[in-house]
Amino acid sequence: MPAFRFRAQAALDVRIRREEAAERALAVAQAALRAAEAATAAAAAAVEEAMARGLAGAGAATGAHELAWHRNWIVRHRQALGGCRRLEQERRAEVHLAREALMRARRERKALDKLKERAWRAYLLGETRAEQRELDLLGAIGHVRKQQAAGGEK
């Protein structure tokens, strides 16, 4: 029999590359999410600090303009925190989509892996049967020769 050759190997190679690309995309999305989480944490800390400074500044403020400035400063920090939270949610959605894409790519690759495994088992079964036929043929030839040799001695 000829050597084993999986006819859909090119498709399997494409699916393996897709799965690897999906793994890389998930890693990039997770890194972006970690960065967004860090930015959100930093913005939340900045809001807390602004609130503390604002309270301290409110007691020492000499005029309405200083109170307004502190209030606006806190509002800017809160707006920045809101932006960071929105970005973090977007990154979470991207991670979710990347994870789904990876699972889909992995399922598609595994389907072809199973097909290749079945083809390999069928090939091995064919090889085993061909080998058994050859052994049976050799045994039959040996038996015929013994019969001929035993018949020739009589």
Side-chain angles (χ1 to χ4, degrees), residues 1 16 24 27 29 32 37 64 75 82 86 100-101 104 106 117-118 125 127 129-130 135 137 140-141 144 149 151:
M1 268 183 95
I16 288 170
R24 285 190 300 274
E37 288 171 340
V75 167
R86 282 189 298 279
E100 285 179 348
R104 189 173 36 259
R106 194 164 280 160
E117 180 62 30
R118 281 190 217 126
L125 181 62
E127 283 284 309
R129 286 182 177 165
L135 290 174
L137 182 62
I141 290 172
V144 168

Side-chain angles (χ1 to χ4, degrees), residues 29-41 43 79-95:
Q30 287 173 333
L33 174 60
R34 283 191 299 275
E37 288 171 340
T40 300
Q79 288 173 342
L81 177 60
C84 287
R85 285 183 176 153
R86 282 189 298 279
L87 183 63
E88 184 179 343
Q89 288 303 325
E90 289 173 10
R91 297 298 178 248
R92 284 187 196 287
E94 289 172 3
V95 166

Side-chain angles (χ1 to χ4, degrees), residues 52-75:
R53 289 173 117 186
L55 287 176
T62 58
H65 70 283
E66 286 184 25
L67 288 175
W69 183 87
H70 277 288
R71 184 175 38 90
N72 291 336
W73 184 55
I74 292 169
V75 167

